[in-house]
Amino acid sequence: MSDIEEGGDARIWRRGLLGIALLMLFWELSTRMFSLPHYILPPVSAIVIGMKAYAWLLFDSALITVGEAMGGLVLGTIFGVTLAMIVTVMPRIRNVVLSFGNAVNSVPVICLSPLLLLWFGMGMQSKIAMVTITVTLMIFLSALGGLDRVDNRAVDLLRSFGSGRVSIMWRLRLPTAAPLILAGVRVAIVRSMAIAIAAEMLGAEGGLGWVIFQAVLKVDFIQVWGAIFTASLASLAMFGLVSSLERRLVFWN
């Protein structure tokens, strides 16, 4: 990565942090100026104090939720990319797979949660399954679009040198599709955290969604917002990790 690109990334991060700081300041001043009750919108300072009080609970719960989201994200990425590769190599099954994927995608995965909870239990397995289903479809479409971007003349050139389908896939199609695949992964991070938290609210033994649900039952809105802030920080950390990997893996883009 060049110094210019590093400087550009630094400026983006600084602007992002400045925007968050201004938003938090506006939030704090607005809640105090209008004396908003905590059940509508608590001040940021009260949320931060609450997060300190529940630090260990939020930390342990975040580890569970991030583990579920990352597990589903990794499995979904593997399944999605593999399926896209199979469809590319075997174009005859393309319409069948796309039709099946659209049919599954039309049903919100949360609607499948009772079945998944019944099959996999209340633990992390059911949440990972829900995230995997969601991520697989997203990555599959991103990977398929990337694999289709290959110039047919480049494919013909490799074939003229004796390359087969596997060699063309490894040497040409996957490097071409890598930027679009990783862009899909970055988008899927937010979805994976949202699905994991929503699934935990429906039935779980721990996690940020479970914390939110329990806090609502106790009418502890500070703890609710503390869990939401923690989930946002975890999502940003995951997003930053994937962005860092993208810069190193797709260095030619």
Side-chain angles (χ1 to χ4, degrees):
M1 182 183 297
S2 65
D3 294 338
I4 295 177
E5 290 174 334
E6 290 180 355
D9 290 340
R11 284 195 297 271
I12 292 173
W13 278 103
R14 285 196 296 269
R15 290 173 182 174
L17 293 174
L18 178 61
I20 293 174
L22 292 175
L23 176 62
M24 294 297 102
L25 178 62
F26 176 77
W27 184 337
E28 179 76 18
L29 294 177
S30 298
T31 53
R32 295 190 178 280
M33 183 181 301
F34 298 102
S35 301
L36 297 177
H38 285 184
Y39 66 86
I40 294 180
L41 190 65
V44 175
S45 57
I47 297 173
V48 173
I49 293 173
M51 290 176 67
K52 290 181 180 179
Y54 300 114
W56 284 110
L57 174 63
L58 294 175
F59 180 76
D60 292 340
S61 300
L63 289 180
I64 295 174
T65 303
V66 170
E68 295 165 350
M70 287 297 294
L73 185 66
V74 171
L75 290 176
T77 300
I78 293 173
F79 293 155
V81 172
T82 302
L83 185 59
M85 291 168 61
I86 293 173
V87 169
T88 302
V89 175
M90 303 173 62
R92 292 183 179 180
I93 67 172
R94 184 187 186 102
N95 291 334
V96 176
V97 175
L98 284 174
S99 298
F100 178 76
N102 290 328
V104 175
N105 196 36
S106 64
V107 180
V109 70
I110 295 300
C111 296
L112 303 175
S113 57
L115 288 175
L116 295 174
L117 288 171
L118 181 63
W119 293 340
F120 297 102
M122 301 282 285
M124 296 180 64
Q125 294 84 351
S126 57
K127 317 310 180 293
I128 292 175
M130 293 184 203
V131 175
T132 300
I133 292 173
T134 302
V135 172
T136 296
L137 296 171
M138 296 179 63
I139 300 301
F140 166 67
L141 295 175
S142 296
L144 191 60
L147 294 172
D148 288 342
R149 292 172 63 184
V150 173
D151 190 343
N152 290 329
R153 292 173 296 180
V155 175
D156 294 336
L157 179 62
L158 287 178
R159 284 176 178 168
S160 67
F161 285 103
S163 298
R165 291 182 177 181
V166 176
S167 178
I168 293 173
M169 177 65 69
W170 182 255
R171 295 175 182 274
L172 179 61
R173 292 191 183 276
L174 279 178
T176 303
L180 200 56
I181 292 173
L182 289 173
V185 172
R186 282 190 277 111
V187 175
I189 289 173
V190 179
R191 290 287 299 276
S192 64
M193 284 292 291
I195 292 295
I197 291 173
E200 288 169 351
M201 292 182 185
L202 297 174
E205 298 171 351
L208 293 174
W210 177 83
V211 170
I212 292 173
F213 181 75
Q214 296 297 321
V216 170
L217 293 179
K218 295 184 294 185
V219 199
D220 189 347
F221 297 103
I222 296 296
Q223 191 175 21
V224 171
W225 279 102
I228 294 173
F229 272 35
T230 304
S232 299
L233 292 174
S235 296
L236 287 174
M238 292 171 61
F239 188 89
L241 175 62
V242 172
S243 298
S244 177
L245 289 175
E246 181 180 7
R247 288 194 296 269
R248 285 164 173 76
L249 294 176
V250 194
F251 54 86
W252 63 87
N253 189 33

